[in-house]
Amino acid sequence: MAASLEDLEQRLSQLRTELRGAVRARDKAETARIRRALREAEAAWEHALEVEAESESTTDDGTLPTEPQTQPTSVSVDESRRKERAAHSSIPIREQVHQALTLLGAPASPKLISSTYEAFFTEPLVATKLASLRRDEERSFTAQGYARPYYICAALTHDRLVPARGLLALSTWPVERRIIGPLSPRADFLTHAVGTAEQIQRLATAGHPAPDAAWRLLRRFALTIPGAYDASAQEPDPARVIAAAHAEAAVHQQEDDQQRQAAAQRARGQLADVQQLFGAAPMRDALRDASGTLS
């Protein structure tokens, strides 16, 4: 029987506590074992979240599976605002993606980009429209070079420097930030959490309450970060989420930074500008280009 989200979240919290102890004890073998277990648990959590989300009939607004349906009036207001602004919106999709990625601060999936944009800008960003965006951006860069101030580009795998599956990034970020190593998915998740919390803080400082969807998005992050979520509070505390995310990120940072920097140095030495942004050709494509066919 598959583990529930709650069980997996408890398992993740336990493993991160164990990882912190192993790193402090400088036990490399135990640290490696726990990190493998963490990656497996995180993958299982992501799968369970997708399954549960697909089974619900609600709209894709980031609602937590364990959260009861409350404040229907507020939700309907958010939905009305979204529909009203969508009718008058003329923002190009690449600009929508740019705004969402700038807020998140690290490579992200189309689904998270869409959820983030809709949470803070109350306009629709259809994730399926992003499927061809990166290819369009690559064609534009190949034809015009740096004619645009930014491009929506790829994250790169640390080992082969090919496009990381299902992730988008910004060309204005340094190569290091766009590299995806073994520890990078978790590190980027924490960066996303910090970016979300900071945006809510900025809105509050400016006197603009964050939309309900933004709070739901922050809660989704907080639930899987040790010490970030207080179940007795009505909403997550952005400052607490930021502090907890930074505390966990410090555990992974040195090793993750080293892997990213080494891969970025290779990328700068081996790849042309277009490949640094959109990735080296996968081996399958390289073989096809060399032989004309692929048996």
Side-chain angles (χ1 to χ4, degrees):
M1 180 178 178
S4 68
L5 280 169
E6 292 79 6
D7 292 340
L8 289 168
E9 285 159 5
Q10 291 177 3
R11 173 65 173 159
L12 286 167
S13 180
Q14 177 186 354
L15 286 170
R16 289 179 190 125
T17 300
E18 293 175 1
L19 177 61
R20 190 178 298 117
V23 170
R24 289 173 177 171
R26 301 183 183 277
D27 187 337
K28 293 184 178 180
E30 183 66 4
T31 297
R33 183 194 68 78
I34 296 173
R35 279 180 169 152
R36 285 195 300 271
L38 255 177
R39 287 195 291 271
E40 292 173 358
E42 286 167 358
W45 184 87
E46 291 287 350
H47 176 70
L49 182 63
E50 293 290 337
V51 170
E52 192 146 336
E54 290 173 0
S55 68
E56 294 186 354
S57 59
T58 56
T59 59
D60 183 17
D61 59 2
T63 303
L64 286 175
T66 57
E67 185 178 13
Q69 295 294 326
T70 59
Q71 299 179 323
T73 302
S74 177
V75 172
S76 64
V77 169
D78 276 358
E79 185 64 24
S80 297
R81 289 172 61 197
R82 181 178 294 114
K83 290 179 179 179
E84 180 181 353
R85 294 187 63 180
H88 302 284
S89 175
S90 59
I91 300 176
I93 190 168
R94 67 187 306 272
E95 176 61 23
Q96 292 177 311
V97 174
H98 178 264
Q99 291 177 7
L101 284 172
T102 299
L103 188 156
L104 290 167
S109 67
K111 184 173 183 179
L112 178 58
I113 291 170
S114 177
S115 297
T116 301
Y117 190 84
E118 293 187 11
F120 285 101
F121 301 97
T122 61
E123 294 179 14
L125 193 165
V126 182
T128 54
K129 292 184 178 180
L130 302 183
S132 62
L133 177 61
R134 189 180 63 79
R135 293 192 296 272
D136 294 341
E137 294 285 286
E138 182 174 2
R139 282 193 291 267
S140 176
F141 182 86
T142 302
Q144 305 178 44
Y146 291 97
R148 292 176 171 178
Y150 68 85
Y151 288 87
I152 308 302
C153 62
L156 308 181
T157 61
H158 77 289
D159 49 357
R160 298 169 57 199
L161 302 177
V162 299
R165 184 177 178 85
L167 294 175
L168 296 175
L170 295 178
S171 64
T172 51
W173 291 344
V175 180
E176 287 83 352
R177 200 192 299 191
R178 295 188 288 105
I179 294 293
I180 303 298
L183 302 177
S184 302
R186 183 61 187 177
D188 287 347
F189 178 92
L190 298 170
T191 300
H192 298 156
V194 171
T196 301
E198 288 178 342
Q199 180 66 7
I200 289 177
Q201 288 181 324
R202 283 191 288 268
L203 290 173
T205 300
H208 302 297
D212 290 345
W215 286 109
R216 287 193 290 272
L217 181 63
L218 182 63
R219 186 181 295 110
R220 289 171 61 188
F221 286 120
L223 280 170
T224 64
I225 302 173
Y229 187 71
D230 180 0
S232 64
Q234 183 176 1
E235 300 290 358
D237 178 2
R240 179 172 179 166
V241 174
I242 292 170
H246 283 159
E248 184 185 339
V251 176
H252 311 286
Q253 185 171 2
Q254 183 176 1
E255 185 175 350
D256 186 46
D257 285 351
Q258 289 174 349
Q259 292 169 340
R260 291 187 194 236
Q261 289 165 6
Q265 186 174 0
R266 286 174 32 238
R268 293 189 180 101
Q270 299 175 11
L271 303 181
D273 286 357
V274 66
Q275 292 174 318
Q276 289 184 40
L277 292 180
F278 298 98
M283 182 61 68
R284 185 181 183 86
D285 293 344
L287 290 172
R288 182 184 293 110
D289 292 343
S291 64
T293 60
L294 183 64
S295 56

